[in-house]
Amino acid sequence: MSGKTSKLSAIVHCKCPHCRRGDIFTGSMYGWNIQHTKEICSYCAQRIEIEPGYFYAAMYVSYAMNVIEMLFASFITYLIFGPLTDETFWHYLIVIFAGCFILYPFNYRYSRIILLHILSPNIKYKPYYDK
């Protein structure tokens, strides 16, 4: 491989923040192969989980993503069914929880990616892997 890999491309494709080449996850986001976070990058040997418990911070990122998704689902439900009343309560509840359930694998994966690429000062991109 040659050419520079952009940070956005590395985030979207879930690549290592150090080399932007190696995959961070095994398995697919949605499917029968359960996704797991690799311990080290197969391309540059960068340790993905820098220290024990490092990904606990990803829970806070996932929480923020979940809140935004719930607000969006509530807004869409409001546009379709109207304001929250006794009659529309179950519509809101089902749409919000279904959205959380469906987006769980996405949140798991991208909360860790955001933590590694954007919120982690310990892992720096090394452009010499692009050569």
Side-chain angles (χ1 to χ4, degrees), residues 76-111:
I76 297 298
T77 307
Y78 173 79
L79 292 177
I80 295 170
F81 295 107
L84 178 62
T85 62
D86 289 341
E87 292 80 28
T88 60
F89 173 76
W90 287 105
H91 295 103
Y92 276 83
L93 196 66
I94 290 169
V95 168
I96 289 170
F97 280 113
C100 290
F101 181 74
I102 292 168
L103 291 172
Y104 169 74
F106 176 84
N107 290 344
Y108 171 81
R109 185 171 280 215
Y110 282 98
S111 65

